[in-house]
Amino acid sequence: MDAIVHQFPPYRKDEAHHSQDAHDDHGHEHHDPGFWAKYIFSTDHKTIGIQYGFTALCFMLFGFFLMLMMRWQIAHPGTPVPVIGPLLEKVLGQVAAKGVISPELYNSFGAMHGTIMVFLGIVPLAFAAFGNYVVPLMIGAVDMAFPRVNMASYQAYFLGGLVMFISFFIPGGAAQAGWTSYSPLATTIPTHGQLFWIIGMVLLISSSLLGAVNFIATIIQLRAPGMTWMRLPFFVWAQFVTAFLLLLAFPPLEAAAVMQLMDNVAHTSFFLPTGLAVGGQLANISGGGSPLLWQHLFWFLGHPEVYVLILPAMGIVCEILANNTRKPIWGYKSLVYSVLTIGFLSFIVWAHHMYLTGMGTKISTFFQATTMIISIPSVIILTCLFISLWGGSIRFNTPMLFALAFLPMFGIGGLTGLPLGFNVSDVHLHDTYYVIAHFHYVVAPGTIFGLFAGIYYWFPKMTGRKMNEFWGRVHFWCSLIFMNLVFMPMFAQGMAGMLRRMSDGGANYSAAVNARAGADVIGGLSDDIMSLHVWILWAAIALGIAQIPFIVNLFWSIKHGEKVGDNPWNSTTLEWQTPTPPPHGNFTHEITVYRGPYEYSVPGHATDFTPQNEPPIGSHAPQISTTVH
Amino acid sequence: MEIPYTVQPRPDTGIYNAKVGIWLFLASEVMLFGGLFSGYVLLRVGADQWPHGWLDVRFGTLNTIILALSAITTLLAWAACKVGHFGKFKFFHACTLLLALSFLSVKMYEYHDKWIHYEIKLADGTFADGHLVEKSADFDLAQKTGTVTLHGRIVKDETLLYDLRSQKNIELKEVTVNASDIVKMENYGPWHNTFLAIYFTLTGLHALHILGGSIVIGYLWGPGSKMWKKDPERFTNRIEVSGLFWHFVDLVWIFLFPVLYLT
Ligand code: HEM
Ligand SMILES: [Cu+2]
């Protein structure tokens, strides 16, 4: 290798300093960039992280409002939405006539709530925002490996979000076939919303591909000297695995999206079977397609995607637990190997979402087995985190409260997944509110609490100020209570047989069955079960109100929060060993790493934390080995 | 501020950043085409009848050779950079670009050939099938006026149109049918059946990759080659990375050719 490198043309030698100091594209970055270059077209990973975070939070709020309107509709079917009803009618027209949400609109809201929350809210916030801001700092890098790709990734995301948003206002409205967009339904609903959905998804998928490539390359290439793999904070590991999931699981969905696009615009029949009837008429298609193909491709992404949703949150929680128990994480290696195992296994469990499609009992049995196996590493992670609490002198600050609440909430979500994973019990539970409760427990009080914890925890690094502690606690306790009041009743509803995705919450169905009751008819829903809808509605509204302290706190604290130093939580990891906020290029001196990420309360050390870059007494700096392999 | 290892490999991983990036990107591309290939398998397994011999193996072979040659010129272009022969680099990548252009032209011709190929279901239950020669001036399917002429044949059974490989010496001649006899008339577009659907999708996506690769290589060959003067090492890396992408696109074709043309 050396030999070849030195055969460059002679004039290279004279100009050798070029590649030494600065490449030309980087050389001019010293003058003060203007507003656009600094905030809109920035290539700095910290700015991009904040852009991602802000956009994702806006989308999450929007998705939340969609859900509130749907909740109104199923609690009080056919009555106008209070306050915003007239506005809905004005903006959306006939589908919201008299301020009442029609079934079509309900379907749109449902599909877009899921899409927005997953693809425009949680993933960009958990993976892209936290990953961008924190990962390069944690590994001691100056920036991401490909800063301009990073910017392109955000722009593709923003554009994808815009396309999704605009689709609400086109004639026919946004996509209506659920966030899973099952064909043939998705192709036969007469709205161009589905087209917008597909194009939006292609943009979002491209965005996360660019992001995933960038993260993995950064973690492999830009670790500071001494930052070996087993010294990486667990959060970095979690993001590393997440990036691989995005990299490898999303493309098959992109393939599926291309095929659905073809079904839509080129009238192919990839997912349309022979003999398909639409509106009582035989559809004019060539047929021969396979609806199951869509489901396989979708869930091949879909299941890894749920780990994309959860792993970054686990990483955040792990950092905060270590920091606030003031002791090392119990079982760091088990955590790392578990997260890698989850990464591999999550590619072979997808068809547990399809037990009832008639794909065959042998296939079901296989996926039931893999599903049970994948819960083992999840349980190991949770157990390690629980045991880490043992014997710690715990500091109960706001980030820690959210991180602590994550554990039981994720536990409930994960454990209720097991009855869904057994195909016998799933026959009863599939497509009911039980499934809704299951995955919301993992994603809402699970992941979202993890993300809140992260925001409270890293806010001082971004701004130099802490968020208000009192209002943080108000936010926490109210969120915890109302979150559970929203989702706990859904388990009961689901087990009683209430199906999801019904725009009247099952009122018609239930009334029809109950009318024939008395004889041998079962399956109707009792008034108690139905009336839970109203409780859930008010709990959801209260949950929304509980976010106001957070939103105000977030903006207010930027200017008025308590001023703190560079390392307010006395943390060991590298992101705290920089100025606040970190400058362009992140570190003011060369960073060298000497120790693992969680050296808290080391006996004999002057403080109860030993930063990763603190040299051991009488040592010399380790270096990245200089021999070329 | 400078990102480390953009030019020189990192000693302990032995690789520079962009190369890590491109390998990761290619891994995701494998999954993208993998998704489509598994779609192909599922559709074919579930199909009542699957066409054989619909694509002209001669054109497929020609395109395979073209891409194989372009793989060689890409490699030589990179090697030329490595040993500092900028002129040779220019020459070899000019060849690559010309080959890419020829590939796309052949592909366009094949697409066109399918576009003007019609299957017409006639009122008497037979099928006229062949390439469009002309439609009479007053041809109108809805009004049932005029005639259409194909260069092809009339068959009694649609399945005969599916398996062309087992029928030897198919005789083709001009057939003219009246619009009033036509029940359904459709060209061999992606809507015609799932074989053509997956054929157009797979090869179309592949052609887009060829196009994208050509644009990148064309940029590096043209305006982008200024970097050679300032930073030849970095430029050589770019040629290597874009070359890796090009080899991947070639590789996809090596799978597409047998799957679509030969089986
Ligand atoms: C750890 C053990 C877990 C098991 C055994 C499990 C099992 C299942 C099963 C079998 C289903 C399909 C239910 C049905 O449709 O009938 C399901 C649905 C779902 N799960 Fe889980 N799950 C687990 C963890 C998670 C996690 C960690 C997340 C997300 C962070 C998650 C998110 C979801 C989502 C979003 C759905 C519903 C998708 C839909 O139909 O719209 N699950 N789960
Ligand atoms: Cu799953």
Side-chain angles (χ1 to χ4, degrees):
Chain A
M1 170 130 217
D2 251 320
I4 301 172
V5 171
H6 286 292
Q7 277 182 12
F8 273 96
Y11 57 77
R12 205 200 146 256
K13 280 212 174 96
D14 318 338
E15 304 196 350
H17 59 273
H18 265 287
S19 55
Q20 287 287 316
D21 334 325
H23 290 293
D24 277 28
D25 347 16
H26 295 292
H28 305 294
E29 282 179 17
H30 298 297
H31 57 79
D32 203 26
F35 171 82
W36 288 90
K38 201 163 165 196
Y39 296 108
I40 309 296
F41 295 103
S42 171
T43 55
D44 188 309
H45 71 99
K46 299 179 291 295
T47 313
I48 294 175
I50 291 172
Q51 287 173 335
Y52 258 118
F54 183 72
T55 321
L57 281 171
C58 291
F59 273 118
M60 273 168 76
L61 198 64
F62 180 60
F64 185 83
F65 276 117
L66 291 179
M67 183 276 286
L68 278 189
M69 291 186 271
M70 290 159 66
R71 276 281 142 201
W72 177 269
Q73 158 70 14
I74 48 183
H76 305 288
T79 55
V81 186
V83 192
I84 37 177
L87 184 72
L88 273 184
E89 186 177 6
K90 201 171 255 167
V91 179
L92 299 175
Q94 202 47 40
V95 284
K98 300 205 185 73
V100 179
I101 294 176
S102 61
E104 292 79 29
L105 190 59
Y106 180 88
N107 288 346
S108 275
F109 281 6
M112 296 312 282
H113 165 75
T115 304
I116 287 173
M117 284 304 198
V118 171
F119 297 112
L120 288 162
I122 309 270
V123 176
L125 186 57
F127 176 68
F130 281 110
N132 257 307
Y133 199 94
V134 179
V135 166
L137 290 170
M138 267 191 173
I139 63 173
V142 289
D143 202 314
M144 296 284 271
F146 312 114
R148 266 177 294 177
V149 172
N150 206 11
M151 177 178 78
S153 160
Y154 174 74
Q155 287 165 350
Y157 159 66
F158 188 82
L159 219 61
L162 208 62
V163 171
M164 293 282 188
F165 185 73
I166 288 173
S167 75
F168 278 96
F169 307 106
I170 63 168
Q176 294 177 14
W179 80 287
T180 51
S181 280
Y182 279 8
S183 274
L185 183 64
T187 315
T188 48
I189 291 178
T191 166
H192 288 304
Q194 192 61 28
L195 200 61
F196 278 68
W197 188 88
I198 296 172
I199 293 169
M201 282 309 288
V202 168
L203 285 166
L204 294 176
I205 294 171
S206 312
S207 156
S208 39
L209 282 182
L210 296 178
V213 168
N214 214 343
F215 276 100
I216 301 174
T218 305
I219 295 173
I220 293 180
Q221 292 290 98
L222 301 189
R223 281 167 293 124
M227 181 61 95
T228 56
W229 288 96
M230 280 300 161
R231 283 179 181 168
L232 288 176
F234 181 65
F235 177 73
V236 178
W237 272 111
Q239 294 286 20
F240 189 65
V241 174
T242 306
F244 266 104
L245 296 182
L246 286 174
L247 185 78
L248 301 178
F250 250 136
L253 181 65
E254 188 151 24
V258 168
M259 288 192 248
Q260 201 176 70
L261 190 71
M262 292 289 284
D263 277 1
N264 257 323
V265 299
H267 306 291
T268 55
S269 292
F270 281 116
F271 306 123
L272 310 179
T274 309
L276 176 73
V278 180
Q281 296 257 311
L282 213 55
N284 180 23
I285 50 165
S286 73
S290 160
L292 267 191
L293 175 59
W294 169 268
Q295 298 191 23
H296 278 298
L297 291 173
F298 182 88
W299 287 115
F300 187 84
L301 156 90
H303 192 86
E305 176 76 13
V306 308
Y307 285 96
V308 170
L309 298 174
I310 198 74
L311 294 182
M314 284 177 167
I316 294 172
V317 166
C318 181
E319 298 305 317
I320 294 173
L321 286 188
N323 178 256
N324 288 304
T325 54
R326 314 305 293 164
K327 63 196 265 299
I329 280 295
W330 192 88
Y332 170 80
K333 276 197 178 155
S334 315
L335 285 175
V336 171
Y337 291 126
S338 296
V339 83
L340 289 171
T341 313
I342 286 185
F344 281 113
L345 289 178
S346 68
F347 285 103
I348 48 167
V349 299
W350 79 88
H352 63 209
H353 296 270
M354 299 166 59
Y355 288 147
L356 267 72
T357 56
M359 62 182 176
T361 48
K362 287 207 182 73
I363 302 181
S364 292
T365 310
F366 172 81
F367 283 99
Q368 165 174 288
T370 54
T371 303
M372 289 310 122
I373 295 171
I374 200 176
S375 47
I376 297 171
S378 314
V379 170
I380 294 180
I381 291 183
L382 206 59
T383 311
C384 287
L385 295 179
F386 264 119
I387 296 180
S388 300
L389 300 175
W390 188 265
S393 53
I394 299 177
R395 303 188 304 206
F396 288 100
N397 45 35
T398 310
M400 185 61 172
L401 289 175
F402 275 106
L404 285 173
F406 170 91
L407 302 176
M409 293 297 113
F410 172 71
I412 295 177
L415 291 176
T416 52
L418 297 179
L420 298 173
F422 289 113
N423 50 50
V424 174
S425 36
D426 189 53
V427 171
H428 179 61
L429 297 172
H430 177 65
D431 253 350
T432 67
Y433 268 84
Y434 182 94
V435 177
I436 306 280
H438 152 66
F439 71 73
H440 280 89
Y441 259 96
V442 258
V443 182
T447 299
I448 294 183
F449 274 18
L451 299 178
F452 279 141
I455 293 175
Y456 283 100
Y457 182 66
W458 279 302
F459 187 85
K461 181 50 40 184
M462 302 182 193
T463 60
R465 292 168 190 271
K466 268 191 190 171
M467 286 173 74
N468 183 286
E469 191 64 26
F470 173 76
W471 289 109
R473 278 158 203 260
V474 171
H475 175 217
F476 168 72
W477 286 109
C478 293
S479 295
L480 182 68
I481 292 167
F482 293 123
M483 209 54 117
N484 281 285
L485 287 181
V486 169
F487 293 117
M488 196 59 89
M490 292 187 197
F491 284 121
Q493 289 183 317
M495 285 188 279
M498 184 184 287
L499 294 180
R500 65 197 280 201
R501 290 183 172 148
M502 290 197 291
S503 65
D504 62 355
N508 270 325
Y509 161 80
S510 188
V513 177
N514 287 341
R516 293 188 296 152
D520 50 353
V521 185
I522 52 164
L525 300 167
S526 70
D527 289 345
D528 290 344
I529 290 292
M530 288 299 292
S531 67
L532 286 175
H533 280 324
V534 181
W535 288 100
I536 295 175
L537 168 67
W538 290 104
I541 291 173
L543 181 61
I545 294 171
Q547 306 313 306
I548 294 174
F550 168 70
I551 297 170
V552 175
N553 196 350
L554 188 69
F555 288 105
W556 183 83
S557 300
I558 295 175
K559 283 265 154 62
H560 308 287
E562 177 200 342
K563 267 200 175 155
V564 291
D566 287 342
N567 190 359
W569 311 110
N570 290 342
S571 175
T572 51
T573 41
L574 293 183
E575 80 272 28
W576 301 102
Q577 323 306 331
T578 63
T580 302
H584 197 55
N586 293 346
F587 295 93
T588 43
H589 53 273
E590 288 283 315
I591 284 283
T592 309
V593 173
Y594 299 93
R595 55 190 79 247
Y598 304 117
E599 300 217 350
Y600 287 103
S601 307
V602 178
H605 195 268
T607 55
D608 70 345
F609 66 104
T610 319
Q612 283 192 277
N613 60 339
E614 185 180 303
I617 298 144
S619 76
H620 53 86
Q623 293 196 324
I624 294 176
S625 117
T626 41
T627 48
V628 178
H629 302 291
Chain B
M1 179 197 75
E2 192 203 351
I3 312 280
Y5 313 117
T6 40
V7 181
Q8 296 297 341
R10 177 176 161 125
D12 60 348
T13 61
I15 192 169
Y16 56 87
N17 296 348
K19 210 155 150 184
V20 180
I22 194 72
W23 278 115
L24 291 169
F25 179 68
L26 293 184
S28 89
E29 291 275 72
V30 168
M31 297 303 287
L32 175 67
F33 281 98
L36 285 168
F37 272 113
S38 54
Y40 167 90
V41 171
L42 232 87
L43 289 175
R44 183 167 175 170
V45 167
D48 300 333
Q49 46 186 357
W50 194 256
H52 296 284
W54 277 24
L55 302 174
D56 195 329
V57 178
R58 289 169 306 175
F59 287 122
T61 313
L62 178 62
N63 259 353
T64 309
I65 295 171
I66 288 176
L67 281 194
L69 287 176
S70 80
I72 297 174
T73 57
T74 304
L75 189 71
L76 291 175
W78 173 66
C81 286
K82 269 283 184 200
V83 296
H85 289 306
F86 188 64
K88 276 193 182 155
F89 155 76
K90 276 275 195 184
F91 170 74
F92 284 126
H93 251 354
C95 293
T96 311
L97 288 169
L98 282 177
L99 288 165
L101 200 68
S102 339
F103 176 91
L104 288 177
S105 314
V106 173
K107 202 73 235 155
M108 281 309 128
Y109 176 80
E110 288 184 88
Y111 279 177
H112 177 72
D113 187 63
K114 287 280 161 283
W115 212 257
I116 57 164
H117 191 153
Y118 281 85
E119 177 186 326
I120 302 176
K121 186 176 181 188
L122 297 170
D124 63 357
T126 60
F127 294 87
D129 181 89
H131 290 91
L132 182 69
V133 177
E134 61 171 357
K135 291 174 182 170
S136 66
D138 58 343
F139 178 76
D140 187 331
L141 205 51
Q143 302 295 324
K144 302 210 171 291
T145 58
T147 61
V148 55
T149 307
L150 302 179
H151 180 73
R153 57 176 176 157
I154 292 191
V155 293
K156 292 218 163 54
D157 185 356
E158 201 184 8
T159 51
L160 286 173
L161 297 177
Y162 269 78
D163 192 359
L164 300 185
R165 207 171 291 147
S166 64
Q167 304 166 50
K168 295 278 171 270
N169 306 324
I170 297 170
E171 218 177 289
L172 300 180
K173 56 179 193 298
E174 299 223 332
V175 285
T176 302
V177 295
N178 295 320
S180 53
D181 291 336
I182 296 178
V183 178
K184 185 178 176 190
M185 172 168 169
E186 196 172 72
N187 63 349
Y188 278 32
W191 41 80
H192 190 57
N193 61 21
T194 41
F195 168 75
L196 287 170
I198 195 82
Y199 163 71
F200 276 104
T201 308
L202 271 171
T203 55
L205 204 65
H206 177 260
L208 281 181
H209 278 72
I210 294 273
L211 196 65
S214 309
I215 290 172
V216 171
I217 290 180
Y219 170 78
L220 291 176
W221 184 81
S225 67
K226 284 198 208 97
M227 183 186 257
W228 173 259
K229 287 252 160 56
K230 284 182 296 193
D231 196 347
E233 216 170 334
R234 193 159 186 221
F235 182 74
T236 308
N237 286 351
R238 287 192 169 179
I239 295 303
E240 184 179 14
V241 164
S242 56
L244 281 171
F245 178 76
W246 193 258
H247 289 307
F248 169 80
V249 178
D250 292 354
L251 193 68
V252 171
W253 179 258
I254 299 297
F255 281 91
L256 285 179
F257 176 52
V259 160
L260 294 171
Y261 288 77
L262 301 181
T263 60

